Structure formats: structure tokens, C-alpha cells
Amino acid sequence: MTPPTGTRGTGDGHRDVIIVGAGLSGIGAACRLQQELPGADYAVLEARADLGGTWDLFRYPGIRSDSDMFTLSYPFRPWRGKRSIADGADIHRYLADTAYEHGVRERIRFGTAVVGASWDSATGRWTVDTETADGPQRWTCRFLFLCSGYYDYDAGYQPEFAGRDDFAGAWVHPQDWPADLDIDGKRVVVIGSGATAVTLVPALAERAAHVTMLQRSPSYLTVLPGRDPLADRLRRVLPARLAHTLLRLQYAALSQGFYQLARRRPERVKAMLRRLAVRAVGGDESYVDTHFTPSYEPWDQRLCVVPEGDFFTAIRRGDASVVTDRIERITPSGVRLASGAQLDADVIVSATGLTLKPLGGLRLEVDGEQVDVGKTVTYRGLMLSGVPNLAFTVGYVNASWTLRADLVARYVPRLLGLMDRERYAIATPAPTASPDRPLLDLTSGYVQRSAHLFPRQGRSDPWRLHQNFFLDALGLGRADLRRDMLFVPRDALGSPGAAAPRPSESGIAADRKVTS
């Protein structure tokens, strides 16, 4: 591994655990580590100047959760907000309050970007290289816990459009939203059809002259209430923790049940979503068939949630509209479409998606050899074959991120506790499985563009990533921590047998040949 240039400082020295990322996953991981392994010495390294991760990065109008807050919040800290679909500011405040109340904030080192990590089997340690405003710094730890998600925080996805430089108005990507952007009375075109576009349209329509959502192809939308009367009643009559637990289970069961129905009975779900869309737009079936009837099956891509139907309300009012067509060229005054039509615009918002970056983009080395993450197999969806003393967090694609993130955050202290009791220095998933499927099983463009960079998964446990909270809650909670794991005792450090096995590459070439 080539280290960053400059004289390297020592950070704050050695830790038992280093958590990378102070967003939803990282704060939850730190809280769980304190609860379940008291006395563990840890630090949280965060590249940004504040905590919150995604909820600190995105500042575009209307930003909100696309999952209910009873499953997006932590099970150990009840969500007390009035809305079950919350806006970004409320979520950021919840995360900040959680970090403060649990003493996590004082463990966070802000402005510390992790750029690489190197494992040494002889010492049983990770060396973690970071960049700070004061120059490069180096940390060491026994266990590395990556909670940095998989979005590229540096830049969103921006396809090349012919003529883009000719546009005379403002061109904006939601990931870099200008605080001083003026849209009052302006004609706005939002390119895209995903969750970001569906969120932006009603928010911009409140001030713009008109907002047009220009999509190449439709997405499935579903209307959900922004506030749950049952939740309000339960929280009035039950203790906060009990009410939160019941609501969390209810919403988890609903989301998992709907996903299973969509995968097993797609035609039934498509008919249901169509009926809801027709009702939401005011009964215009042809409008729904043109703009809200995708060619793919439900949950081949993530569903877009429309709280209170605000997106459809803007359309019914005439403040917003949808156009389904392909872009031929960007012109000085707007967008020329393949159909020959012209969309005039003062502002174009390119809500064209995100760029994915596995493990936060850091470089990994094991005993001097760089790890190609795309040629590893995921172990229980949280470790990598052949990579010692490292865990990472990936949430569900079909439900709230936190449902799975919290299970991972509880599994890691269990593993560390076993290692302490048995005096193990190293724990490495043994590379015994042939990868068979991509880690993120969605057809969305942003996933497919980066699928080759992510670890793959096998056909059976423990090399398979379940997209099912209840299976994982039972499986990870009771998992045999020794299964398909190689342990090295502390007194064997430095011996030839302590070296980590190579990450598994068996079957990868054959799998790719079959699927290409």
C-alpha cells in the first residue's frame, strides 16, 4: 500500500476497536459496543466536520427518510417524533442527541478521513492511515469496524448529456445543493425518477413557477401516511421502550411481508400499486399507465415512498408534471427530447443517482497484499473471507437500513467477547465458499454500475446475505461464532500458522462467465 504523502503523525495511538464513520451505523455501533462490551477502548473516525453521515451530507429541499422512523431509529432509543416519515433535520438531531446521551460524541475524531488500512498477522493489528487538516496520521487497533456505508460522499453520479455546457441556467446535483440557489418563480426540470427526484418535486413546487420531472422510465411509487395514529395512541398509554418495540416489530413485519408478497405475487402487487397511483393522481388511468407503470417487477428496484402523497398533490394542483422521454440534447434554454419536444428551464436538477463506493473507498492490505474486495465472499453479510478482524455494515435494500445495522452492531461485540474469553488474537472467515450472487441484488442503475467492486455472496449460510430481518434476528443472534472461522491464539502470534488465508477467489471467474 502506498501511504499518503507527508510526515505521518500518530493519531491518538492504539485502540481495541476503531469504528470508521459517525453516521447512522457508526453511532449505533459505538452505542452497542459500550452496552455489550463495557470497558472496550474505541475511537470513531469521521471524515466530515459533523456526525450524521448521509443526514449531514444531503441538504437539498425536502430531504427525508424513505423508511419509517420506528425501524430507522435505534431499538435502544425510542423515536419520539410526531412524524413516522421524518425530514432530514429531525433525523440529524436524533442522531446527535443519541451520540451525546450515550457519550459517543467525545469518542469521535472529526475531520479524520480513513484512506487505508493494513493488517499484520505477526502483531495481530490493523494500521489505519488517515488524512486530517494537520496532515497524515496513523492509528492502530485490534479490530476494525467499517460503518461508512457505500455512498461516494465526494460526488454523485452524473451522466454526460450532449450540450450540457450550453445551458444558460443553473445546473445542480442534489448531492451538492447550493445554499443560495434561487428557484422562486423559476421553471425547474428535475431529471430522474428515484427517491431523490420524488422528494424534490413537491418541495420545489412550493416556490417554483412549475416543476417537471423528466424520467427516462417510470418507477414504482407508494403513498404512506406521514403520521401514524396508532403509534400516537400506543406512545400515550405504554412505556416508551415497550411502545417503540411493538411499533418496530409491526413496521418490520409489514415491510418484510410486502416484500415477500411482491417477489412471490408480483402481478397482484403491481395491480395494487396501480390502483393507489390512479387514486392519487385523481383517477387519470392513462397518466398512470404512461408515467407510473415500470417495465420491471416490484422490488427489482427499491420502491419510492411518497409521504402523504405530496408528490401527487403537486401534480393535481398543476404545480408539477411528469414527462417520460429520452434526452436528445441540453440546449441553452432547457432540454430537447428524443420526441422533438422542448422543455424550457431556468434550473435543471440532475437527480441522476449516486455513486457507490464499497467500504468507504479505503485501500485494504493483508500481510502486504492488497485486497481486491470484489474477489472476496461476504461472511454473514458483515465480514470478508480471508480478511482478519474486520467487520462492515450493509443494511437491507428492502427495508430500513438500521434493522440490519443494529444486528451487525450486536454481532461484533459477541465475537470480540468470545475472542477475549478464549484469548484469541485473530478471527478470520475461512474462504470455503464459491461466490454465486452479487451482494446487492437490485437492478437499479446505481447498483449495477458498481456491482463488480463489492464482495459477492454464496448460496448458503454463513456466506449468504439474507434480505429478511426476522431470519437475521434469529440467525445472527444465535449464530455459531466458530463456524467457518479460523482463530489464532494470542500466544501464537508471529508463528507461520498465524498468517491470514488468502481471500477466496474460487469460482469467481466461472460465475462471471455464466452471468455475462
Side-chain angles (χ1 to χ4, degrees):
M1 178 173 68
T2 303
T5 58
T7 303
R8 186 165 299 284
T10 58
D12 282 350
H14 181 73
R15 294 289 188 275
D16 293 330
V17 180
I18 285 180
I19 297 171
V20 180
L24 191 63
S25 303
I27 293 170
C31 291
R32 286 301 195 187
L33 189 64
Q34 291 182 164
Q35 292 169 1
E36 304 195 18
L37 205 64
D41 185 19
Y42 75 93
V44 182
L45 307 185
E46 169 56 51
R48 298 177 63 78
D50 196 3
L51 55 77
T54 296
W55 302 106
D56 178 61
L57 172 69
F58 292 105
R59 305 292 180 91
Y60 58 81
I63 181 171
R64 61 198 179 197
S65 65
D66 64 350
S67 300
D68 67 274
M69 289 306 301
F70 303 110
T71 56
L72 191 67
S73 59
Y74 304 118
F76 54 83
R77 188 172 187 271
W79 172 252
R80 300 178 186 273
K82 294 181 179 179
R83 298 185 61 82
S84 55
I85 304 291
D87 62 35
D90 286 341
I91 298 171
H92 188 275
R93 190 177 305 111
Y94 170 84
L95 294 174
D97 290 346
T98 302
Y100 178 77
E101 290 177 12
H102 288 262
V104 170
R105 189 176 182 91
E106 63 196 45
R107 302 290 193 110
I108 304 174
R109 302 298 180 265
F110 293 108
T112 304
V114 176
V115 296
S118 180
W119 170 262
D120 179 25
S121 292
T123 59
R125 287 188 174 189
W126 283 100
T127 297
V128 180
D129 291 316
T130 71
E131 290 288 3
T132 73
D134 298 324
Q137 291 185 349
R138 176 166 285 170
W139 300 66
T140 60
C141 64
R142 291 174 49 211
F143 198 94
L144 186 59
F145 195 174
L146 305 179
C147 297
S148 47
Y150 49 53
Y151 292 146
D152 185 345
Y153 278 25
D154 296 328
Y157 176 66
Q158 179 58 73
E160 291 298 322
F161 295 116
R164 174 186 162 185
D165 292 339
D166 299 334
F167 183 56
W171 184 282
V172 181
H173 193 285
Q175 190 161 323
D176 301 300
W177 195 271
D180 59 350
L181 180 65
D182 179 19
I183 62 166
D184 289 345
K186 302 292 180 63
R187 298 164 299 177
V188 181
V189 171
V190 178
I191 302 173
S193 61
T196 301
V198 170
T199 298
L200 276 166
V201 167
L204 297 177
E206 294 179 0
R207 295 168 49 197
H210 188 81
V211 180
T212 303
M213 187 176 86
L214 171 58
Q215 60 181 9
R216 183 174 57 183
S217 57
S219 298
Y220 285 110
L221 308 183
T222 183
V223 177
L224 291 179
R227 185 165 179 171
D228 185 347
L230 173 61
D232 293 340
R233 288 195 296 270
L234 284 177
R235 291 187 290 184
R236 282 197 299 267
V237 301
L238 295 177
R241 182 67 63 89
L242 176 57
H244 186 66
T245 299
L246 293 174
L247 290 165
R248 185 178 177 84
L249 290 173
Q250 171 193 310
Y251 275 89
L254 287 172
S255 65
Q256 296 289 280
F258 183 73
Y259 174 78
Q260 293 298 326
L261 179 63
R263 303 314 283 170
R264 297 169 190 269
R265 298 288 187 271
E267 294 303 322
R268 181 182 300 178
V269 171
K270 284 193 286 187
M272 179 179 67
L273 292 173
R274 183 181 182 278
R275 285 195 301 272
L276 290 173
V278 168
R279 185 185 309 161
V281 300
D284 190 339
E285 294 189 12
S286 64
Y287 199 85
V288 169
D289 291 339
T290 300
H291 302 302
F292 303 114
T293 305
S295 58
Y296 58 86
E297 303 288 11
W299 276 117
D300 282 352
Q301 299 181 23
R302 193 175 175 98
L303 264 66
C304 295
V305 173
V306 183
E308 306 290 355
D310 57 3
F311 173 83
F312 294 111
T313 300
I315 292 174
R316 291 199 308 272
R317 286 199 312 255
D319 297 334
S321 58
V322 180
V323 172
T324 303
D325 205 337
R326 291 181 176 270
I327 295 173
E328 181 180 288
R329 186 176 184 84
I330 306 298
T331 69
S333 59
V335 184
R336 186 165 68 235
L337 304 176
S339 64
Q342 168 81 12
L343 293 179
D344 292 331
D346 304 301
V347 178
I348 294 178
V349 180
S350 184
T352 46
L354 304 167
T355 301
L356 301 191
K357 183 187 288 186
L359 310 186
L362 79 164
R363 302 183 307 275
L364 282 181
E365 273 191 7
V366 173
D367 293 330
E369 181 177 344
Q370 186 165 343
V371 177
D372 184 345
V373 175
K375 293 183 177 179
T376 62
V377 193
T378 182
Y379 176 85
R380 302 194 189 280
L382 57 88
M383 299 180 77
L384 300 175
S385 60
V387 180
N389 290 25
L390 179 143
F392 67 97
T393 300
V394 170
Y396 294 116
V397 299
N398 62 1
S400 164
W401 178 277
T402 315
L403 283 174
R404 191 167 203 286
D406 185 65
L407 295 176
V408 174
R410 301 191 71 177
Y411 181 94
V412 170
R414 284 186 62 219
L415 177 61
L416 293 174
L418 171 70
M419 294 173 68
D420 285 344
R421 291 191 303 273
E422 302 294 332
R423 299 188 59 79
Y424 291 135
I426 303 174
T428 310
T432 60
S434 173
D436 180 66
R437 297 165 52 209
L439 182 67
L440 304 176
D441 197 9
L442 290 176
T443 63
S444 307
Y446 73 97
V447 172
Q448 294 300 310
R449 286 191 296 268
S450 306
H452 63 288
L453 301 175
F454 283 77
R456 291 171 69 82
Q457 57 175 310
R459 290 180 178 272
S460 58
D461 292 335
W463 305 98
R464 181 181 175 187
L465 174 63
H466 294 288
Q467 291 294 336
N468 188 305
F469 167 69
F470 294 100
L471 282 179
D472 277 344
L474 292 173
L476 289 179
R478 301 177 181 179
D480 179 359
L481 298 173
R482 300 176 185 272
R483 181 178 174 185
D484 289 355
M485 292 284 287
L486 298 179
F487 292 95
V488 175
R490 293 176 187 173
D491 57 12
L493 283 177
S495 66
R502 286 175 173 269
S504 175
E505 298 186 15
S506 61
I508 290 179
D511 289 339
R512 289 183 176 169
K513 184 176 181 180
V514 169
T515 57
S516 63

